[in-house]
Coordinates of all heavy atoms in Angstrom, one line a residue:
Q224 N 0.8 -1.2 0.0 CA 0.1 0.0 0.0 C 0.9 1.3 -0.1 O 1.8 1.4 0.8 CB -0.9 0.0 1.2 CG -2.0 1.0 1.2 CD -3.1 0.6 2.2 OE1 -3.9 -0.2 1.9 NE2 -3.1 1.3 3.4
A225 N 0.6 2.2 -0.9 CA 1.4 3.4 -1.0 C 0.5 4.4 -1.7 O -0.5 4.2 -2.2 CB 2.6 3.1 -1.9
P226 N 0.9 5.8 -1.6 CA 0.2 6.8 -2.3 C 0.2 6.6 -3.7 O 1.0 5.9 -4.2 CB 1.0 8.1 -1.9 CG 1.7 7.7 -0.6 CD 2.1 6.2 -0.8
W227 N -0.8 7.1 -4.4 CA -1.1 6.6 -5.8 C 0.1 7.1 -6.6 O 0.4 6.3 -7.6 CB -2.4 7.4 -6.2 CG -2.8 7.1 -7.6 CD1 -2.8 8.0 -8.7 CD2 -3.1 5.9 -8.3 NE1 -3.2 7.3 -9.9 CE2 -3.4 6.0 -9.5 CE3 -3.2 4.6 -7.7 CZ2 -3.8 5.0 -10.4 CZ3 -3.6 3.6 -8.4 CH2 -4.0 3.7 -9.9
A228 N 0.6 8.2 -6.5 CA 1.7 8.6 -7.4 C 2.9 7.7 -7.2 O 3.6 7.4 -8.1 CB 2.1 10.0 -7.0
R229 N 3.1 7.3 -5.9 CA 4.2 6.3 -5.7 C 3.9 4.9 -6.3 O 4.8 4.2 -6.8 CB 4.3 6.1 -4.2 CG 5.5 5.1 -3.7 CD 6.7 5.5 -4.3 NE 7.8 4.6 -4.0 CZ 8.9 4.5 -4.5 NH1 9.3 5.5 -5.6 NH2 9.8 3.5 -4.3
V230 N 2.6 4.4 -6.3 CA 2.1 3.3 -7.0 C 2.6 3.2 -8.5 O 3.2 2.2 -9.0 CB 0.7 3.0 -6.8 CG1 0.2 1.8 -7.6 CG2 0.3 2.7 -5.3
L231 N 2.1 4.3 -9.2 CA 2.3 4.4 -10.5 C 3.9 4.4 -10.8 O 4.5 3.8 -11.8 CB 1.7 5.6 -11.2 CG 0.2 5.6 -11.2 CD1 -0.3 6.8 -11.9 CD2 -0.3 4.3 -12.1
R232 N 4.6 5.2 -10.1 CA 6.0 5.4 -10.3 C 6.8 4.0 -10.1 O 7.7 3.7 -10.7 CB 6.7 6.5 -9.2 CG 8.1 6.8 -9.6 CD 8.4 7.3 -10.8 NE 9.7 7.8 -11.0 CZ 10.3 7.9 -12.1 NH1 9.7 7.8 -13.3 NH2 11.6 8.2 -12.3
G233 N 6.3 3.3 -8.9 CA 6.9 2.0 -8.5 C 6.7 1.0 -9.6 O 7.7 0.2 -9.9
V234 N 5.7 1.0 -10.3 CA 5.4 0.0 -11.4 C 6.3 0.3 -12.5 O 6.9 -0.4 -13.2 CB 3.9 0.1 -11.9 CG1 3.8 -0.6 -13.2 CG2 3.0 -0.6 -10.8
Q235 N 6.5 1.8 -12.8 CA 7.4 2.2 -13.9 C 8.8 1.6 -13.7 O 9.6 1.3 -14.5 CB 7.3 3.7 -14.2 CG 5.9 4.0 -14.6 CD 5.8 5.5 -14.9 OE1 6.5 6.2 -15.7 NE2 4.9 6.3 -14.1
L236 N 9.2 1.7 -12.3 CA 10.5 1.5 -12.0 C 10.9 0.0 -11.8 O 11.9 -0.5 -11.6 CB 11.0 2.2 -10.7 CG 11.1 3.8 -10.9 CD1 11.4 4.4 -9.5 CD2 12.0 4.1 -11.8
G237 N 9.7 -0.9 -11.8 CA 10.0 -2.2 -11.5 C 9.9 -2.6 -10.1 O 10.2 -3.8 -9.8
E238 N 9.6 -1.8 -9.2 CA 9.5 -2.0 -7.9 C 8.3 -2.8 -7.4 O 8.3 -3.6 -6.5 CB 9.5 -0.7 -6.9 CG 10.9 0.0 -7.2 CD 10.8 1.4 -6.5 OE1 9.7 1.6 -5.9 OE2 11.8 2.2 -6.5
Y239 N 7.2 -2.6 -8.2 CA 5.9 -3.2 -8.0 C 5.7 -4.0 -9.5 O 6.1 -3.5 -10.4 CB 4.7 -2.4 -7.7 CG 5.1 -1.5 -6.5 CD1 4.7 -0.2 -6.5 CD2 5.7 -2.0 -5.3 CE1 4.9 0.7 -5.5 CE2 6.0 -1.1 -4.2 CZ 5.6 0.3 -4.4 OH 5.9 1.1 -3.3
D240 N 5.1 -5.1 -9.4 CA 4.7 -5.9 -10.5 C 3.5 -5.4 -11.2 O 3.2 -5.5 -12.4 CB 4.7 -7.4 -10.2 CG 6.0 -7.9 -9.8 OD1 6.9 -7.6 -10.6 OD2 6.2 -8.4 -8.7
L241 N 2.5 -5.1 -10.5 CA 1.2 -4.6 -11.1 C 0.4 -3.7 -10.1 O 0.5 -3.7 -8.9 CB 0.2 -5.8 -11.3 CG -0.2 -6.7 -10.4 CD1 -1.6 -6.2 -9.7 CD2 -0.5 -8.2 -10.9
V242 N -0.5 -2.9 -10.7 CA -1.4 -2.1 -10.0 C -2.8 -2.8 -9.8 O -3.2 -3.5 -10.8 CB -1.7 -0.7 -10.6 CG1 -2.6 0.2 -9.9 CG2 -0.3 0.0 -10.9
V243 N -3.3 -2.8 -8.6 CA -4.5 -3.6 -8.2 C -5.7 -3.0 -9.0 O -6.6 -3.7 -9.6 CB -4.7 -3.6 -6.8 CG1 -6.1 -4.1 -6.5 CG2 -3.7 -4.4 -6.1
N244 N -5.8 -1.5 -9.1 CA -7.0 -1.0 -9.5 C -6.7 0.3 -10.3 O -6.5 1.4 -9.7 CB -7.9 -0.7 -8.3 CG -7.2 0.0 -7.2 OD1 -6.1 0.3 -7.3 ND2 -7.9 0.0 -6.2
A245 N -6.7 0.2 -11.6 CA -6.4 1.3 -12.4 C -7.4 1.5 -13.5 O -8.0 0.5 -14.1 CB -4.9 1.1 -13.1
W246 N -7.7 2.8 -13.9 CA -8.5 3.1 -15.0 C -7.7 3.2 -16.2 O -6.4 3.6 -16.1 CB -9.2 4.4 -14.7 CG -10.2 4.5 -13.7 CD1 -10.9 3.3 -13.0 CD2 -11.1 5.4 -13.1 NE1 -11.8 3.7 -12.2 CE2 -12.0 5.0 -12.3 CE3 -10.9 6.9 -13.5 CZ2 -12.9 5.9 -11.6 CZ3 -11.8 7.7 -12.7 CH2 -12.7 7.2 -11.8
Y247 N -8.1 2.8 -17.4 CA -7.4 3.0 -18.6 C -6.9 4.3 -19.0 O -7.7 5.4 -18.8 CB -8.1 2.3 -19.8 CG -7.2 2.4 -21.0 CD1 -6.4 1.3 -21.3 CD2 -7.4 3.4 -21.9 CE1 -5.6 1.3 -22.5 CE2 -6.6 3.5 -23.1 CZ -5.7 2.5 -23.3 OH -4.9 2.7 -24.4
S248 N -5.8 4.6 -19.4 CA -5.4 5.8 -20.1 C -4.2 5.5 -21.0 O -3.5 4.4 -20.8 CB -4.8 6.9 -19.1 OG -3.6 6.5 -18.5
D249 N -4.1 6.2 -22.2 CA -3.0 5.9 -23.0 C -1.7 6.1 -22.6 O -0.8 5.4 -22.9 CB -3.2 6.9 -24.3 CG -4.5 6.6 -25.1 OD1 -4.9 5.5 -25.0 OD2 -4.9 7.5 -25.8
E250 N -1.6 7.0 -21.6 CA -0.2 7.2 -21.0 C 0.2 6.0 -20.1 O 1.4 5.6 -20.2 CB -0.3 8.5 -20.0 CG 0.8 8.8 -19.2 CD 0.7 9.9 -18.2 OE1 -0.4 10.5 -18.2 OE2 1.8 10.3 -17.6
R251 N -0.8 5.4 -19.4 CA -0.5 4.3 -18.6 C -0.2 3.0 -19.4 O 0.7 2.1 -19.2 CB -1.6 4.0 -17.6 CG -1.7 5.0 -16.4 CD -3.0 4.9 -15.7 NE -3.2 6.1 -14.7 CZ -4.2 6.2 -14.2 NH1 -5.3 5.4 -14.2 NH2 -4.4 7.3 -13.3
N252 N -0.8 3.0 -20.6 CA -0.6 1.8 -21.4 C 0.8 1.7 -22.0 O 1.1 0.7 -22.5 CB -1.7 2.0 -22.6 CG -1.8 0.6 -23.4 OD1 -1.9 -0.4 -22.8 ND2 -1.8 0.7 -24.7
V253 N 1.5 2.8 -22.0 CA 2.9 2.8 -22.4 C 3.8 2.0 -21.5 O 4.5 1.2 -22.1 CB 3.5 4.2 -22.6 CG1 4.9 4.2 -22.9 CG2 2.7 5.1 -23.6
F254 N 3.6 2.1 -20.3 CA 4.4 1.4 -19.4 C 3.7 0.1 -18.7 O 4.5 -0.8 -18.1 CB 5.0 2.3 -18.3 CG 4.0 2.9 -17.4 CD1 3.5 2.1 -16.3 CD2 3.6 4.2 -17.6 CE1 2.6 2.7 -15.4 CE2 2.6 4.7 -16.7 CZ 2.2 4.1 -15.7
G255 N 2.6 0.0 -19.0 CA 1.8 -1.2 -18.3 C 0.9 -1.8 -19.3 O 0.4 -1.3 -20.3
H256 N 0.6 -3.2 -19.0 CA -0.4 -3.9 -19.8 C -1.6 -4.1 -19.0 O -1.7 -4.7 -17.9 CB 0.3 -5.4 -20.1 CG -0.4 -6.2 -21.0 ND1 0.2 -7.3 -21.6 CD2 -1.7 -6.1 -21.4 CE1 -0.8 -7.9 -22.4 NE2 -1.9 -7.2 -22.4

């Protein structure tokens, strides 16, 4: 559990493997599936 900005940053850096609950955006689709 972490603040939202940290969650997204952590996925981009490889610290976390996935976000539990995300809405779709083109920006997020670049670094996440």
Side-chain angles (χ1 to χ4, degrees):
Q224 192 162 281
W227 181 243
R229 180 60 185 163
V230 168
L231 292 181
R232 185 64 175 161
V234 167
Q235 293 178 66
L236 294 174
E238 296 173 0
Y239 310 135
D240 295 302
L241 65 87
V242 182
V243 168
N244 44 12
W246 291 351
Y247 178 86
S248 75
D249 290 339
E250 179 184 0
R251 295 171 188 169
N252 194 47
V253 171
F254 62 83
H256 187 163

